[in-house]
Amino acid sequence: MTTAIYPGSFDPITKGHLNIIQRASRIFDRLIVCVMVNVDKKPMFASVERVAMIRRVTEDLPNVQADSSCELLAEYARQHEVNVIVKGLRAATDFEKEFQMSLINHKLNPGLDTMFLTSEHQFMYLSSSVVKELGSHGADLSDFLPEAILSDCAKRMRRN
């Protein structure tokens, strides 16, 4: 059984993230979507909330599970006996950072490789940060967030 990890902050999970999850779930027998701690970001949603949102939007994908971790991704992969990381790329700027991280992860865990999936064109511009900014101004988020979490996210963003 081939298992991969799709790590990220998912604050919140967007339609772009969901697209990568759906595509990766067709490639791998099992996909772990793992909410990771990013010290450069101040999350709007607690880790347990993000895991719950991932579960809600992927409930129709039986080979996808949601988890969270505050440890290094390379170590999380080793503990879960996973040797593939899936990363979504929106633009060339994403590639530079993600390529560097893939080299670091491989150095820390030589059995760990990274597979890059490019975003589909309609999600190239989409990020959780952009969604939170739009939501804080009361914009319609239906083009950006999965329906299952839309109202909960919109309410939280308007409050902040």
Side-chain angles (χ1 to χ4, degrees):
M1 177 186 282
T2 308
T3 302
I5 301 169
Y6 178 34
S9 55
F10 306 108
D11 187 43
I13 186 169
T14 67
K15 285 185 175 181
H17 293 130
L18 185 56
N19 177 260
I20 297 293
I21 291 167
Q22 290 165 334
R23 292 164 54 209
S25 74
R26 292 191 302 262
I27 297 168
F28 298 97
D29 297 317
R30 185 170 70 116
L31 180 67
I32 303 169
V33 181
C34 191
V35 173
M36 304 297 289
V37 172
N38 184 333
V39 295
D40 295 330
K41 296 182 179 180
K42 295 183 190 235
M44 178 176 286
F45 297 93
S47 180
V48 294
E49 292 176 300
R50 289 179 271 161
V51 169
M53 285 191 275
I54 292 165
R55 287 182 179 142
R56 283 168 53 195
V57 303
T58 62
E59 66 184 4
D60 63 327
L61 301 170
N63 64 328
V64 173
Q65 70 180 74
D67 196 8
S68 65
S69 177
C70 58
E71 62 194 322
L72 290 173
L73 178 57
E75 185 56 31
Y76 179 90
R78 185 184 338 274
Q79 289 175 6
H80 289 80
E81 299 178 348
V82 175
N83 60 3
V84 180
I85 297 170
V86 172
K87 294 298 290 192
L89 296 178
R90 293 172 295 199
T93 53
D94 280 352
F95 177 76
E96 188 172 322
K97 179 183 174 201
E98 296 299 345
F99 182 68
Q100 179 184 25
M101 288 306 304
S102 74
L103 293 173
I104 291 168
N105 284 322
H106 188 72
K107 174 74 173 164
L108 296 172
N109 181 345
L112 189 57
D113 287 307
T114 302
M115 184 182 90
F116 298 107
L117 286 176
T118 55
S119 292
E120 291 189 10
H121 71 281
Q122 66 268 36
F123 305 119
M124 294 291 287
Y125 61 89
L126 187 55
S127 71
S128 295
S129 299
V130 167
V131 170
K132 287 187 284 193
E133 177 69 20
L134 292 169
S136 72
H137 294 285
D140 177 8
L141 301 176
S142 58
D143 286 340
F144 312 116
L145 295 175
E147 181 66 35
I149 63 168
L150 182 60
S151 64
D152 293 340
C153 288
K155 286 176 194 169
R156 173 76 60 89
M157 290 175 199
R158 281 193 297 270
R159 279 188 286 168
N160 290 349

